[in-house]
Amino acid sequence: MKAWQVHELGRPVDVLRLDDIPTPVPGPGQLGVRVLAAAANFPDVLMISGGYQVRPPLPFTPGIELCGEVLAVGEGVTRSAIGDRVIGSWAMPHGGFAEHALMIDELSYPAPAALDDAEAASFHVGHQTAWFGLYRRAGLKPGETLLVHAAAGGVGHAAVQLGKATGARVIAVVGGPEKVDVARSLGADVVIDRTTTDIVAAVKEATGGRGADVVFDPVGGASYTASTKCIAFEGRLVVVGFTSGEIPAPALGHALVKNYSIVGLHWGLYATHDPESIRRAHDDLTALVDTGAIRPLVSERLALDDVPDGLQRLADGTTTGRVTFVA
Ligand SMILES: NC(=O)c1ccc[n+]([C@@H]2O[C@H](COP(=O)([O-])OP(=O)(O)OC[C@H]3O[C@@H](n4cnc5c(N)ncnc54)[C@H](OP(=O)(O)O)[C@@H]3O)[C@@H](O)[C@H]2O)c1
């Protein structure tokens, strides 16, 4: 079967190699799937370059998020059966940027019937991260103001959708006019183009000087600093990622004098600490899809051959919504 493999670390366009390798056989608790679609995620980019907290041994096939048809099951599999259409995370090192992949039975979920393969493949990491960030970590409530950075991106657009579904007022920050249109189409109440507009002044103006109750920040760097200047009394700033490449060193005296919380989120840890909570979130998110309140925004449906280019554009910050690779 064809599989993109990482033999050395670096940029996706430089190091990914399309190899012909044996179809992986599922071990205990694993599913062997035909990949129907896989979605690009920033953590794939970071893993390929060696800059992620998880470092698979080389060579490996990236693609942490996918939708697959179960073709084979390993010993002890109880949740899925041959023929099922499932979504979820990869079983390292056989990810979704290949014709076949391995998934973990315990961490695989029924693909929502209302979503096609590309949408279903995109429905796990982004929306789960937003769900855990906004509800479990920040306790977002109806009527509060939510500020979302990189709001037209993968996890960002999911946070905008869930914020609106919760009844929050959503302020979206994006980089450039094309992304402004995307954020508006998602239903954001206020959209700030960070390339032309001062974020702090715009958030203060939009909130009558009060600031945002919850901030969802996948960017770090200057976005984090701006957030601390326009966060409300008892606000919660959720640290989701650092696409800017800068990991902020927070001034804790500032958090004290302004009474705000800096809340870390590593969604992947729930797989070991509380796997049932991921299943509950999946059921909740699926119900929201069924009512039409949320839906992954798939902006690109590419072929397996396009993986390096799609991942590189995600790394370069030029994509919107979800980039997918469809069989
Ligand atoms: N904490 C968790 O559990 C968890 C789970 C999943 C993902 N994440 C993290 O969430 C972040 C977003 O992931 P994603 O896959 O959804 O990507 P994405 O948001 O679709 O793409 C990255 C976006 O970041 C913004 N950005 C700002 N400065 C950038 C720069 N210097 N280079 C590239 N992008 C820049 C761009 O949006 P604008 O131009 O609109 O600002 C860009 O579109 C990543 O840091 C990822 O690691 C965290």
Side-chain angles (χ1 to χ4, degrees):
M1 68 150 190
K2 283 203 261 177
W4 287 101
Q5 290 211 290
V6 180
H7 293 268
E8 57 176 322
L9 303 176
R11 299 163 71 229
V13 282
D14 294 333
V15 300
L16 279 171
R17 225 169 71 185
L18 190 58
D19 289 339
D20 208 339
I21 63 169
T23 301
V25 177
Q30 292 182 337
L31 310 174
V33 301
R34 181 169 73 88
V35 179
L36 301 173
N41 282 279
F42 218 86
D44 288 310
V45 172
L46 296 173
M47 231 178 269
I48 292 167
S49 69
Y52 196 59
Q53 53 262 38
V54 178
R55 290 181 171 225
L58 303 176
F60 70 94
T61 296
I64 63 169
E65 180 182 30
L66 64 150
C67 172
E69 178 195 355
V70 179
L71 296 185
V73 295
E75 198 188 314
V77 163
T78 56
R79 294 187 183 273
S80 291
I82 290 170
D84 286 356
R85 181 174 168 259
V86 295
I87 65 166
S89 307
W90 67 330
M92 219 164 58
H94 293 290
F97 301 149
E99 290 173 319
H100 295 261
L102 294 182
M103 298 174 74
I104 300 163
D105 184 43
E106 179 71 21
L107 299 173
S108 297
Y109 311 89
L115 301 181
D116 68 24
D117 293 341
E119 291 169 325
S122 309
F123 188 54
H124 193 52
V125 175
H127 282 80
Q128 285 267 341
T129 299
W131 193 97
F132 277 85
L134 297 181
Y135 301 148
R136 178 126 169 187
R137 301 296 282 133
L140 178 70
K141 293 187 276 296
E144 288 194 313
T145 298
L146 167 67
L147 174 64
V148 181
H149 293 283
V155 297
H157 93 281
V160 172
Q161 290 184 345
L162 285 185
K164 290 303 297 175
T166 308
R169 181 164 183 249
V170 178
I171 303 177
V173 179
V174 294
E178 191 201 337
K179 294 177 180 178
V180 167
D181 292 342
V182 172
R184 287 224 173 92
S185 74
L186 294 166
D189 298 283
V190 177
V191 182
I192 300 168
D193 181 350
R194 66 177 169 84
T195 64
T196 56
T197 307
D198 179 68
I199 296 173
V200 177
V203 172
K204 284 188 174 168
E205 191 189 326
T207 58
R210 218 182 132 261
D213 300 294
V214 172
V215 180
F216 187 86
D217 180 14
V219 178
S223 301
Y224 171 86
T225 306
S227 302
T228 64
K229 295 179 182 165
C230 57
I231 190 162
F233 175 75
E234 293 192 329
R236 292 86 74 200
L237 198 166
V238 187
V239 179
V240 180
F242 312 108
T243 55
S244 65
E246 283 178 52
I247 301 179
L252 293 184
H254 196 249
L256 184 153
V257 296
K258 284 190 69 177
N259 246 48
Y260 64 84
S261 307
I262 303 163
V263 183
L265 173 68
H266 182 179
W267 167 71
L269 283 186
Y270 288 99
T272 45
H273 288 263
D274 188 3
E276 275 311 306
S277 65
I278 299 182
R279 201 161 288 278
R280 286 196 300 276
H282 177 76
D283 293 344
D284 191 33
L285 289 165
T286 301
L288 287 169
V289 166
D290 290 341
T291 65
I294 63 171
R295 189 172 199 101
L297 177 66
V298 175
S299 52
E300 300 189 49
R301 293 160 195 266
L302 308 173
L304 185 59
D305 283 351
D306 301 318
V307 164
D309 174 64
L311 280 181
Q312 191 61 52
R313 288 185 291 104
L314 174 68
D316 295 341
T318 58
T319 58
T320 59
R322 303 306 308 269
V323 175
T324 59
F325 308 99
V326 183

